[in-house]
Amino acid sequence: MPLTGGEIRLHRGHDGRVAYLTLDHGKFNIITWETRQAMADRFAEIDADDGIQAVVIQADGEHFSSGGDIAGFMEVEPIDFTDLGHNVTAPARSPKPVIAAVDGYCFGVGLELALSTDIRVATQRSQFALPEMRLGMIPGSGGTQRLARLIGLSRAKYHIMTATRISAAQAGDWGLVADVVSDRAALDAEVERVVEALLGFSPLAARTAKEVLDKGVDAPLYSGIELERKAYAMLRSSHDFAEGVAAFTEKRKPAFKGR
């Protein structure tokens, strides 16, 4: 029988401007079929709320996630896998900047979830892997494509095709994570530092930067640069840009409105 349950708790901080999503399904935070859909549901709520400027995905338990409900997949009809990964990778489609706070195992769909975020921070004891080859399978929620784009095709082939784990140190060196810190307390502190930085910027500029980066990276260089130019021109007419320039000139903190 497939595993059921698994909660994704949502609470807000920083006067409601930050949404914290916490994976809560035991020591290993196994991601069930229900958890996948819950992630999409949470982001539907978050994306519709203009007051939320940033999102943090974290986990209770000893590990971020050891992966999915392996045995349960045999209870799911093949046709139901057609859209596999679309729900759990909702962070990639969110207009908000999303941070993943990783401690411990980050395997399988847990890693695919983390790969769909914008900024990843990990502890020194964290380990990353897409071990599906051990089951006669391949990653199915964007892992092959996102990992290759982050660490390079050669490294991605090696780690996916041999199911070899990536250490936190390697993840930091290769750009899989933005920073590696000592322990969970340091992880919480670093995530909050990043959150504070994001909250100080224009929500409109943050949303635009995410879109230009995500869409431009897979386009030819000329197309990506043209997309950047058009976005820059659009922001030139925004309230936030005028406010940013005025605040810089007047040597004060800007009051961005997200428009």
Side-chain angles (χ1 to χ4, degrees), residues 101-146:
V102 178
D103 184 35
Y105 294 161
C106 186
F107 295 165
V109 67
L111 176 52
E112 291 176 305
L113 167 62
L115 289 172
S116 73
T117 66
D118 304 301
I119 300 170
R120 289 162 294 280
V121 183
T123 60
Q124 290 177 348
R125 77 182 191 97
S126 296
Q127 298 180 54
F128 304 84
L130 292 171
E132 288 82 356
M133 289 292 290
R134 299 183 187 278
L135 306 172
M137 182 49 79
I138 65 169
S141 297
T144 61
Q145 302 306 300
R146 289 194 170 98

Side-chain angles (χ1 to χ4, degrees), residues 8 12 16 31 38 45 57 68 75 87 95 97 110 129 132 143 179 181 185 200 202 219 223 231 235 240:
I8 301 177
R12 302 184 183 190
I31 295 176
E45 178 181 352
I57 300 178
E75 305 296 325
N87 45 19
E132 288 82 356
D179 198 6
V181 298
S202 160
S223 298
L235 289 173
D240 282 356

